[in-house]
Amino acid sequence: MLRLICVFLPLLGAAAEIRGGVFKDINAEDEDQQPTVIESLCMNCYENGSTRLLLTKIPFFKEIIISSFTCPHCNWTNTEIQSAGRIQEQGVLYTLQVKTKEDMNREVVKSDSASTRIPQLDFEIPAFTQNGSLSTIEGLLDRAVAGLEQDQPIRKATDPVVAEKIEEFIQRFKKLKEVEEEFTLIIDDSSGNSFIENPFAPEKDMALTVTHYKRTPEHNAALGIEVEEEENDEKPGSDLDTMRNEVLVFNTNCPECNAPANTNMKLVQIQHFKEVIIMATNCDSCRHRTNEVKSGGATEELGTRITLHLTDPSDMSRDLLKSETCSVLIPELEFELGMAALGGKFTTLEGLLKDIKDLIVSKKPFMCGDSSTADRAEKLELFGQKIDKIIAGEMDVHIILDDPAGNSYLQNVYAPDPDPEMKIEKYTRTFEQNEDLGLNDMKTEGYAEK
């Protein structure tokens, strides 16, 4: 099936570009968004069937290729989903505690590079052994059961002992579907293109933990990514001196339309803080703009928690640096945005709140179309209205920036005097926070110079 997609994709792309783009937003009311039907060989009975291909976009998962094969001769069917978007900068690990039958209805996007584990059953589906799918938790379990049952008749005839053990395992799987006891579902995707729905959005999901991590060389090799290590024989500081005085430009691709674009990079010294690297990408094709901030220094010895009490609309103009490791909390809204959700940003407080609203309200997956419910849509609409009130200065709230790496910053408009409405706390990181930052495996002492 994948080979068939690769052969016909250029033809589909050329035809779709004439209509205004290869991948269109998924919309049931769009008459132009019709699947392409291709005659293809059935791998079950070797007669000719038909494959329907649809190039579209869904929130978060971005560009995808949906393929569905049906054979009128033997009634065999097969559906697949392939990611056509970019591999994310970091891998993602989802850990869900399934406690009720309602959890079985959570929507799940699982790419082909994702592995699935259920520790209670000592069960694992390795990466690249299944095609990508758009389903629910119950659908994932049904798919696993169907795979185990596929060769059971042959096993019962050739190896009854193994068949009996697998049958017992299948029965345990079916009990999980009834949620007779709690279990843990883990989806680990090194490409970062998988997702588990949070039905309580915009509130935090207490049963779901999302962790972003840096890929290992083995992960990159499995994904077909080649990372070149460049040797630097320049004198220490020479490259940094060049970057401080110039805006560096390098070629890249737009994260939205994948057209060629330029990224500008500059080292900037933030007053009363530290040096940071700011990168901005502007796409001439779709007018999409992004900016990203990386810390120019090392991880601080202590974490930083900045709490600002918003008392005036002028607070919205405060400069703000949010690193990739920084979480954003608004206690009055019971809202928490985890680290890496918006990436690193150098903006104003108003810009950060608008980005949060755009992420939660406008781009939240499974909150539009058939997946949406009136209750969820109302909750998100109410959340967006509260964010608008905060920006307008009509709500008395606190904004908390919690960065265990200590690389985030919020402008003090009274500097160098203390800000009466802002509190800055330094704290010792926990073992779990050091683990997330990769510090527990680092050894920086005890090396003798040769």
Side-chain angles (χ1 to χ4, degrees):
M1 182 72 73
L2 181 58
R3 182 178 300 176
L4 178 67
I5 293 174
C6 295
V7 171
F8 284 96
L9 185 55
L11 300 178
L12 293 172
E17 285 180 329
I18 297 176
R19 300 195 300 270
V22 176
F23 297 92
K24 292 188 175 183
D25 293 333
I26 190 166
N27 187 352
E29 299 178 358
D30 189 355
E31 296 181 357
D32 292 334
Q33 194 179 37
Q34 297 295 329
T36 301
V37 182
I38 302 170
E39 185 177 356
S40 52
L41 181 67
C42 175
M43 301 308 295
N44 187 48
C45 67
Y46 300 102
E47 297 288 343
N48 282 341
S50 60
T51 298
R52 303 168 71 87
L53 297 178
L54 180 64
L55 282 68
T56 186
K57 295 180 183 178
I58 59 175
F60 182 83
F61 203 48
K62 296 187 179 180
E63 297 89 352
I64 61 169
I65 303 171
I66 302 175
S67 63
S68 176
F69 175 82
T70 56
C71 178
H73 302 281
C74 65
N75 296 322
W76 187 66
T77 62
N78 180 35
T79 59
E80 296 180 13
I81 180 174
Q82 295 288 337
S83 173
R86 297 164 61 88
I87 294 175
Q88 304 302 312
E89 291 187 2
Q90 293 181 314
V92 64
L93 176 68
Y94 288 92
T95 304
L96 174 65
Q97 300 296 329
V98 181
K99 301 179 180 180
T100 64
K101 294 202 68 173
E102 286 74 17
D103 288 331
M104 302 298 290
N105 296 325
R106 291 176 183 248
E107 301 275 3
V108 177
V109 175
K110 176 184 174 296
S111 74
D112 54 0
S113 59
S115 64
T116 305
R117 300 199 305 273
I118 301 177
Q120 286 79 1
L121 296 183
D122 196 18
F123 175 79
E124 179 176 3
I125 302 175
F128 302 105
T129 58
Q130 285 187 346
N131 295 316
S133 62
L134 174 59
S135 180
T136 61
I137 302 295
E138 184 176 3
L140 285 181
L141 297 183
D142 285 339
R143 192 177 183 185
V145 170
L148 293 172
E149 290 179 337
Q150 184 175 2
D151 296 326
Q152 274 296 84
I154 299 177
R155 292 192 193 99
K156 290 179 179 179
T158 59
D159 197 339
V161 177
V162 174
E164 183 179 354
K165 291 182 179 179
I166 292 179
E167 185 64 31
E168 293 176 358
F169 197 80
I170 291 173
Q171 294 305 318
R172 294 179 63 188
F173 247 113
K174 291 181 177 179
K175 288 182 179 180
L176 290 186
K177 289 178 54 179
E178 301 301 324
V179 197
E180 296 179 1
E181 60 182 26
E182 297 182 8
F183 67 93
T184 304
L185 176 68
I186 301 174
I187 295 182
D188 188 350
D189 187 0
S190 57
S191 73
N193 281 329
S194 292
F195 181 82
I196 296 181
E197 176 193 10
N198 172 12
F200 307 103
E203 299 173 7
K204 184 177 180 180
D205 190 344
M206 303 305 296
L208 180 64
T209 302
V210 184
T211 305
H212 294 82
Y213 60 87
K214 185 177 180 180
R215 281 188 292 270
T216 64
E218 290 76 14
H219 287 146
N220 288 329
L223 294 172
I225 302 175
E226 182 178 357
V227 180
E228 297 181 357
E229 298 182 0
E230 298 181 358
E231 295 183 1
N232 186 6
D233 296 331
E234 300 288 337
K235 294 181 179 179
S238 60
D239 289 341
L240 288 177
D241 292 338
T242 301
M243 293 177 65
R244 289 188 181 97
N245 299 324
E246 296 181 7
V247 177
L248 302 182
V249 181
F250 54 91
N251 298 326
T252 185
N253 293 90
C254 174
E256 284 295 321
C257 68
N258 210 34
N262 291 329
T263 295
N264 299 328
M265 183 171 68
K266 181 77 167 64
L267 267 176
V268 177
Q269 177 66 46
I270 298 180
Q271 190 177 16
H272 305 296
F273 190 53
K274 60 172 66 174
E275 203 168 47
V276 297
I277 302 172
I278 299 179
M279 295 183 290
T281 302
N282 297 327
C283 179
D284 295 331
S285 299
C286 66
R287 304 299 178 186
H288 179 71
R289 295 184 177 183
T290 63
N291 68 80
E292 189 175 0
V293 177
K294 302 285 188 182
S295 173
T299 300
E300 298 293 329
E301 293 185 3
L302 299 174
T304 302
R305 184 181 294 107
I306 305 173
T307 304
L308 175 65
H309 182 203
L310 300 181
T311 57
D312 191 88
S314 62
D315 288 330
M316 292 295 107
S317 61
R318 291 177 183 247
D319 289 332
L320 177 145
L321 171 65
K322 175 193 172 298
S323 76
E324 289 182 330
T325 58
C326 180
S327 301
V328 181
L329 298 89
I330 307 178
E332 289 77 5
L333 301 187
E334 297 183 355
F335 171 77
E336 179 178 352
L337 182 72
M339 63 173 64
L342 284 175
K345 283 189 173 293
F346 183 47
T347 180
T348 61
L349 192 54
E350 180 181 2
L352 177 66
L353 291 174
K354 287 183 176 179
D355 288 339
I356 290 175
K357 178 184 175 183
D358 186 48
L359 176 68
I360 300 299
V361 179
S362 302
K363 297 182 178 179
K364 195 66 182 173
F366 312 117
M367 292 301 172
C368 57
D370 295 339
S371 297
S372 177
T373 63
D375 182 56
R376 293 184 190 175
E378 184 179 352
K379 288 172 62 178
L380 290 177
E381 183 66 25
L382 181 60
F383 179 81
Q385 293 174 3
K386 290 180 179 180
I387 292 293
D388 291 335
K389 288 183 179 180
I390 294 175
I391 295 175
E394 299 175 1
M395 284 190 68
D396 185 12
V397 299
H398 293 76
I399 302 292
I400 302 176
L401 303 179
D402 191 349
D403 188 356
N407 287 326
S408 294
Y409 161 85
L410 183 60
Q411 181 185 11
N412 174 9
V413 294
Y414 298 94
D417 297 326
D419 189 331
E421 302 298 337
M422 186 166 68
K423 179 181 179 182
I424 301 178
E425 303 172 83
K426 297 289 185 179
Y427 62 88
T428 302
R429 286 184 292 268
T430 64
F431 178 86
E432 290 75 14
Q433 289 173 325
N434 282 329
E435 188 72 18
D436 291 338
L437 296 174
L439 299 178
N440 291 333
D441 298 327
M442 290 186 181
K443 184 177 180 182
T444 59
E445 299 178 355
Y447 288 97
E449 294 183 0
K450 295 182 179 181

